[in-house]
Amino acid sequence: MNKPPRFATRLLRIFCAPHRAEELEGDLDELFQQRVKVMGLRRACWRYIRDVVSLLRPSLIKRQHIHAYPRPTNTTMIRNYLKVAFRNLTKHKGYSAINIVGLTTGMAVAILIGLWVVNEFAYNRNYMNYDRIAKVMQNQTFDDKVETWTGQAMQLAPELRDSYGSHFKYVATSDYPGDYLLSLGNQKITKTGNFMEPDITEMLALTMLKGARSGLRDPYSILLSESAAKSLFGEVDPLNKLINVDKKWDVKVTGVYADLPVNSTFGNLTFIMPFALKKKELPEWLSWGNSWFQTFVQIADNANMETVSLAIKDAKFNKVRHSDDVRFKPEMFLMPMRNWHLYSEFKNGVNVGGQIQYVRLFSIIGIFVLLLACINFMNLSTARSEKRAKEVGVRKAIGSVRKQIMLQFFSESLLIVSIALVLALLLVILILPAFNAVADRQISLPWANPLFWISVLGFSLFTSLIAGSYPAIYLSSFQPVNVLKGTFRVGRFAAVPRKVLVVIQFTVSITLIIGTLIVFQQIEFAKNRPVGYSRNNLVSFPIRNKELITHFATFRDDLLNTGVVEEVSATDSPITNTGVTNSGFDWKGKAPNMADEFVTLRITHEFGKMIDWKIKEGRDFSKEFSTDSTGFVLNEAAVAYMGLKNPIGEIIKWGGNQFRVIGVVKNLVTQSPYEPIKQTIFFINYKRLSLISFKINPTKSAPEALAKVEAIYKKYDPDNTFDFKFVDQEYARKFNEEERIGKLTSFFAVLAIFISCLGLFGLASFVMEQRTKEIGIRKVMGASVSSLWQLLSRDFVLLVIISLLIAVPAAWYFMQGWIQKYTYHTEISWWIFAASGGSALLITLLTVSYQSIKAALMNPVRSLRSE
């Protein structure tokens, strides 16, 4: 007897009302058999499919509900659902615990990442004019490479006001923030502040607690934050009081503003002073070519950010058109405040993202970790389907429809998710301080925010739907006739979806492990990069008093005479962050239209000896040669950049003067350890120095040396505090961002493995329970414990191997793309994949072995006795 197409019959059963399905299926089958005899099997099948499709009408789909008893109210039904759900929860405590612990962990991770993501997107949003504030940036071309700078000439702000005034509401020049000493009588505190033009107060819409925003228009004024005012004045009213800043400026407090949001670019700004005061100290020769400052703007209310950005494109170019700076092709543009934090990276003049890549990464990780916990619930619920088949059959037999049964299973998932949510919030409270420490944030749970609770409840419902959807659909599909007759079997392919979900779990977990190892490998690779000098025992401190430079030779001798210092030198930039660049150099063989750029470092004679740099050619600076005041020492990158074959003795012209190359040193890492070393020129200059460094005698302890150095320092600068920094610690800060990402990723990877193993443990427990009699028979037939262990563990190990085959190429592809953003990067090692795979297999075996060995050691008499 020929059978009609199976999928068409199934389609009919799914969509047709149950009270009509049997009659229609019989009629269609009878018609099908007649057609087979008349027109053949193939055409009969097509006609059968057409007939099924034509029957998918609302009148035939509509269900008919027959109730033998009064229909219960919704409240009664919901109460019954929850009661049955609670009974199942307490009846199977082990499986319930696995589900709750897994969901608690997954939801806690999702909440933590959600809080962090919201915090990142909220950066700077507290400012009233957030959508209209921008920073002026510039692109300049050096030797066919475009560099993007935040630095601007101080002449830019007046030019924007005069020539482009209709586009802007406020324009403000700003210095870069720094630490300054605030003094009130004998009281001294060091605070972070900045010199800014008065418009900045309106731009940031400062909340004034005392005084007015206009107070900054007084050239000898200062605005204090609330916290700075309390630190300096306590409960005394600070308004109109005089304080001293850095022993240079006596200024009057003309206002106190509320502390700026921590989660913002200006969060550490505890005081603001007029830029006019800073301008008095600047050299007169500063031109459009000196990009030393920042320029902030607020566009006009009727202006568009993109339009204004295009309008000011040539603001600088028009001013340098007839000067040497025109060869750098400067182009100005606006960077909106909304992009400062998340989109701060530029390559060759194009924005390539920034922090946003980590926001996306951790958002994906949060979703996947939560999905792993949901998979546990799905797997354990469907694995126990045979045990709940009779319950479904009885419910259907007494009138329950599929929708009601699905609601029953959804209520169970909702109950478990609700319990997990409470535990997840408690877990978040416990680990949030540690998370903040690693993430370098100040995140808190916004208990009083209604939006937070709406999000949490929505998140819970979403999780319960994800976790409960597959079990509800699968379990509610059982046919009551087969179940109650005892002929119901889940089928040999019933376990396939569970195996697929386990593979997904371990694929995600292994990918996270591989990614974490590669991040740390890249960090170690950069840390071990030869830096070209010795950072050990190097200490630096800022020059706040000109006496230190005026009497530098005497100060150096006093330090050396203590016996705790090996050498002393002064520079205009920290050795770990040489940010000063210059151009306009000329040398033999230079291309006519070359737009050159060099990092320059002003130093004193002892610098090379202090840092122990490596001379490759020529010699170091020496006081024995008076001509060294017009000498240059180049690094290897500068020699290659200039194309010099025999650099020693070459003449380089700069600023109307001639300099002779006296030495070449091996490349020094003085900027990013991930980027190529830039061409650098070192030269002697005792005038524009800002930092003194010294090397501690290795035979002396650091506390002893610092105490003696501070005593000498106080002789020359009794008014300022001795604020020192260890150079090796400053260099280590360059890896903070990558280390932070690595720690967070490893934390989430461990949790992902933990959740996956929880599910595997529960699944293994169920499989052993199912195969109890098989194990008993095998033991009676002579099987050993080891052979049974291999038999029971084999399937799970195979799933992990499949996961490895998927995770390894996926992880390699994504991480290869990640490390390519670093010019100086490691090569991904094979051992990372081997270690990750080995670890995953070992963890799997340990997880499964407990249940396998327990089942293998069970007495066969107990497992084979009749129920």
Side-chain angles (χ1 to χ4, degrees):
M1 183 178 178
N2 294 305
K3 292 185 179 181
R6 187 178 298 178
F7 78 91
T9 305
R10 286 181 178 174
L11 185 67
L12 180 68
R13 289 172 182 173
I14 291 171
F15 286 99
C16 190
H19 65 285
R20 300 181 187 274
E22 188 176 352
E23 180 184 354
L24 288 172
E25 189 176 338
D27 291 345
L28 286 172
D29 186 64
E30 185 178 345
L31 187 59
F32 173 76
Q33 300 301 334
Q34 292 175 1
R35 284 173 176 166
V36 169
K37 293 177 183 178
V38 175
M39 59 183 66
L41 179 62
R42 185 176 179 183
R43 291 185 65 188
C45 288
W46 279 110
R47 289 289 185 90
Y48 183 87
I49 294 169
R50 187 192 67 183
D51 291 343
V52 168
V53 173
S54 68
L55 289 171
L56 302 181
R57 301 194 297 269
S59 60
L60 297 176
I61 293 174
K62 185 177 180 182
R63 266 56 175 169
Q64 182 184 56
H65 300 294
I66 302 172
H67 300 281
Y69 302 97
R71 186 171 183 173
T73 63
N74 287 336
T75 306
T76 307
M77 290 174 64
I78 292 171
R79 190 164 58 245
N80 176 261
Y81 291 158
L82 293 175
K83 186 184 293 183
V84 173
F86 184 74
R87 285 174 180 169
N88 277 307
L89 198 66
T90 54
K91 183 179 179 182
H92 306 285
K93 296 181 178 65
Y95 294 114
S96 300
I98 289 173
N99 281 330
I100 290 171
V101 171
L103 283 170
T104 297
T105 307
M107 292 178 79
V109 169
I111 291 170
L112 276 175
I113 291 178
L115 290 171
W116 181 77
V117 168
V118 169
N119 185 73
E120 293 301 291
F121 278 112
Y123 208 85
N124 284 330
R125 285 183 180 269
N126 288 300
Y127 296 108
M128 186 187 304
N129 305 311
Y130 167 80
D131 290 326
R132 312 200 70 75
I133 296 175
K135 184 193 301 182
V136 183
M137 309 283 287
Q138 65 171 314
N139 285 330
Q140 294 208 62
T141 304
F142 298 94
D143 198 21
D144 296 328
K145 291 182 181 179
V146 180
E147 292 188 9
T148 303
W149 294 356
T150 59
Q152 305 295 343
M154 67 177 182
Q155 291 87 348
L156 178 63
E159 172 64 14
L160 294 180
R161 292 191 199 101
D162 296 341
S163 303
Y164 305 88
S166 61
H167 295 294
F168 301 105
K169 189 171 184 179
Y170 302 112
V171 179
T173 302
S174 166
D175 197 5
Y176 289 90
D179 292 336
Y180 296 88
L181 184 71
L182 307 184
S183 304
L184 178 66
N186 294 325
Q187 188 177 1
K188 300 171 184 176
I189 59 172
T190 300
K191 290 289 182 181
T192 301
N194 204 349
F195 293 87
M196 310 175 93
E197 288 187 320
D199 274 2
I200 198 70
T201 60
E202 298 294 339
M203 203 182 298
L204 300 181
L206 297 182
T207 302
M208 301 304 297
L209 306 178
K210 295 180 183 294
R213 296 174 188 167
S214 58
L216 204 63
R217 298 194 181 279
D218 181 342
Y220 288 92
S221 63
I222 185 171
L223 299 182
L224 296 176
S225 69
E226 183 180 11
S227 58
K230 283 185 177 179
S231 298
L232 202 57
F233 291 93
E235 299 304 319
V236 177
D237 185 356
L239 213 57
N240 297 318
K241 299 288 194 305
L242 288 175
I243 64 173
N244 181 272
V245 180
D246 258 12
K247 297 299 176 181
K248 292 182 181 178
W249 306 284
D250 290 314
V251 291
K252 181 173 66 175
V253 179
T254 55
V256 176
Y257 58 89
D259 288 349
L260 295 171
V262 175
N263 193 33
S264 74
T265 303
F266 304 100
N268 64 343
L269 204 62
T270 58
F271 71 85
I272 305 173
M273 294 172 64
F275 184 77
L277 196 58
K278 176 78 173 182
K279 195 173 179 180
K280 292 177 183 293
E281 293 198 336
L282 297 175
E284 294 181 358
W285 48 261
L286 281 186
S287 67
W288 278 93
N290 301 106
S291 303
W292 289 8
F293 308 102
Q294 301 178 90
T295 303
F296 298 104
V297 299
Q298 180 179 329
I299 61 174
D301 295 336
N302 60 346
N304 174 271
M305 193 71 73
E306 288 73 20
T307 304
V308 177
S309 185
L310 286 172
I312 67 168
K313 178 182 176 182
D314 294 325
K316 181 176 179 178
F317 184 84
N318 292 334
K319 290 295 178 181
V320 299
R321 188 185 298 273
H322 302 295
S323 72
D324 193 42
D325 290 331
V326 73
R327 69 187 188 281
F328 302 122
K329 304 172 186 175
E331 293 184 358
M332 319 305 287
F333 66 94
L334 296 183
M335 186 178 187
M337 183 181 255
R338 61 177 177 271
N339 292 346
W340 293 0
H341 180 61
L342 296 178
Y343 298 89
S344 58
E345 289 187 12
F346 289 83
K347 281 194 175 180
N348 206 29
V350 178
N351 190 297
V352 293
Q355 185 74 7
I356 188 65
Q357 66 177 327
Y358 296 120
V359 172
R360 291 169 181 156
L361 170 67
F362 286 119
S363 297
I364 294 170
I365 289 175
I367 292 169
F368 273 118
V369 171
L370 180 61
L371 182 62
L372 298 184
C374 293
I375 286 173
N376 282 354
F377 185 88
M378 295 177 191
N379 273 347
L380 295 179
S381 297
T382 54
R384 296 176 57 249
S385 57
E386 283 191 52
K387 294 187 179 293
R388 301 199 66 177
K390 288 185 179 179
E391 175 192 341
V392 174
V394 171
R395 284 179 176 276
K396 281 193 172 184
I398 63 174
S400 291
V401 294
R402 189 173 186 183
K403 175 184 174 183
Q404 292 171 323
I405 294 170
M406 288 178 69
L407 285 173
Q408 167 64 50
F409 290 114
F410 274 125
S411 67
E412 290 185 20
S413 71
L414 182 60
L415 178 62
I416 289 177
V417 167
S418 299
I419 295 170
L421 174 64
V422 174
L423 295 175
L425 287 172
L426 292 173
L427 186 59
V428 168
I429 292 170
L430 289 174
I431 65 178
L432 194 54
F435 181 83
N436 279 333
V438 175
D440 192 28
R441 295 289 183 268
Q442 296 183 25
I443 303 171
S444 60
L445 282 165
W447 300 109
N449 189 342
L451 187 61
F452 169 73
W453 290 109
I454 292 171
S455 301
V456 165
L457 292 175
F459 167 65
S460 303
L461 288 172
F462 174 77
T463 305
S464 64
L465 284 172
I466 294 296
S469 58
Y470 177 56
I473 294 169
Y474 177 71
L475 295 173
S476 64
S477 67
F478 295 161
Q479 294 297 321
V481 176
N482 295 334
V483 171
L484 297 178
K485 283 173 65 178
T487 59
F488 171 77
R489 294 291 181 272
V490 294
R492 57 177 179 164
F493 296 111
V496 171
R498 291 197 293 275
K499 290 179 179 180
V500 170
L501 292 175
V502 169
V503 168
I504 292 172
Q505 278 188 314
F506 275 88
T507 299
V508 172
S509 302
I510 293 167
T511 302
L512 283 175
I513 291 173
I514 293 172
T516 301
L517 292 176
I518 292 173
V519 168
F520 281 114
Q521 185 189 21
Q522 171 63 16
I523 293 169
E524 288 304 311
F525 181 76
K527 280 185 174 179
N528 295 330
R529 181 183 187 180
V531 296
Y533 63 95
S534 173
R535 301 186 305 272
N536 296 334
N537 299 319
L538 272 182
V539 182
S540 63
F541 59 89
I543 299 170
R544 290 202 173 101
N545 191 322
K546 291 182 180 179
E547 291 294 309
L548 285 170
I549 293 302
T550 305
H551 302 98
F552 177 75
T554 310
F555 175 69
R556 174 176 173 271
D557 289 341
D558 287 348
L559 288 182
L560 294 176
N561 290 334
T562 61
V564 298
V565 173
E566 282 193 340
E567 192 52 86
V568 186
S569 181
T571 59
D572 67 337
S573 297
I575 182 63
T576 58
N577 190 23
T578 52
V580 178
T581 61
N582 278 288
S583 58
F585 295 88
D586 194 22
W587 62 91
K588 185 179 178 181
K590 179 185 176 182
N593 297 319
M594 181 180 181
D596 62 283
E597 182 195 31
F598 290 84
V599 173
T600 56
L601 188 64
R602 294 170 173 83
I603 60 175
T604 58
H605 288 82
E606 307 81 10
F607 177 77
K609 180 182 177 183
M610 181 187 69
I611 67 169
D612 192 26
W613 63 10
K614 309 302 178 188
I615 300 291
K616 186 178 179 182
E617 294 182 55
R619 61 175 177 83
D620 199 348
F621 291 111
S622 174
K623 290 182 179 178
E624 295 179 4
F625 299 92
S626 59
T627 55
D628 280 5
S629 59
T630 56
F632 276 173
V633 169
L634 311 179
N635 69 349
E636 293 172 303
V639 173
Y641 180 77
M642 300 168 78
L644 302 177
K645 293 184 178 179
N646 298 299
I648 304 302
E650 285 286 344
I651 301 297
I652 298 176
K653 298 177 181 178
W654 181 45
N657 298 310
Q658 289 190 353
F659 296 83
R660 186 181 298 275
V661 178
I662 65 169
V664 176
V665 294
K666 290 194 172 182
N667 286 332
L668 280 67
V669 179
T670 60
Q671 295 181 333
S672 171
Y674 299 109
E675 297 299 326
I677 293 171
K678 291 189 175 181
Q679 52 276 10
T680 306
I681 296 175
F682 303 89
F683 61 97
I684 300 297
N685 187 299
Y686 280 81
K687 293 180 180 179
R688 292 172 51 194
L689 302 174
S690 60
L691 204 75
I692 291 178
S693 302
F694 61 91
K695 189 166 191 174
I696 297 175
N697 189 326
T699 62
K700 306 294 181 182
S701 69
E704 175 193 359
L706 291 171
K708 291 187 177 182
V709 170
E710 183 175 11
I712 301 296
Y713 173 87
K714 286 293 184 182
K715 284 172 55 179
Y716 291 85
D717 188 0
D719 296 324
N720 287 304
T721 56
F722 179 55
D723 297 324
F724 63 88
K725 293 178 180 177
F726 285 93
V727 173
D728 56 351
Q729 292 178 0
E730 290 301 299
Y731 186 77
R733 291 179 195 274
K734 294 178 179 290
F735 304 96
N736 282 355
E737 186 66 25
E738 283 71 22
E739 286 184 333
R740 189 177 298 121
I741 298 303
K743 287 176 182 177
L744 289 174
T745 308
S746 60
F747 172 70
F748 297 134
V750 169
L751 290 181
I753 281 288
F754 171 71
I755 293 171
S756 300
C757 288
L758 266 180
L760 201 62
F761 183 83
L763 209 55
S765 175
F766 174 77
V767 170
M768 305 314 158
E769 186 181 326
Q770 269 191 325
R771 302 179 70 175
T772 301
K773 288 190 177 181
E774 177 195 342
I775 293 167
I777 293 170
R778 288 181 179 275
K779 287 197 74 174
V780 169
M781 298 297 290
S784 64
V785 173
S786 61
S787 64
L788 288 172
W789 171 74
Q790 292 177 25
L791 174 72
L792 297 172
S793 303
R794 184 173 56 203
D795 289 346
F796 294 103
V797 170
L798 182 61
L799 294 179
V800 175
I801 291 173
I802 294 171
S803 301
L804 270 171
L805 295 176
I806 300 171
V808 167
W812 181 88
Y813 175 79
F814 288 116
M815 295 311 295
Q816 187 71 18
W818 178 76
I819 64 171
Q820 290 302 320
K821 77 170 190 171
Y822 301 106
T823 308
Y824 186 81
H825 60 79
T826 184
E827 294 298 325
I828 298 178
S829 304
W830 66 268
W831 65 263
I832 288 179
F833 302 104
S836 301
S839 301
L841 287 171
L842 180 63
I843 292 169
T844 302
L845 285 173
L846 291 174
T847 304
V848 175
S849 292
Y850 173 77
Q851 296 290 358
S852 301
I853 295 172
K854 180 183 175 183
L857 292 174
M858 186 182 293
N859 189 340
V861 175
R862 290 179 59 191
S863 57
L864 293 176
R865 67 186 177 186
S866 179
E867 293 180 357

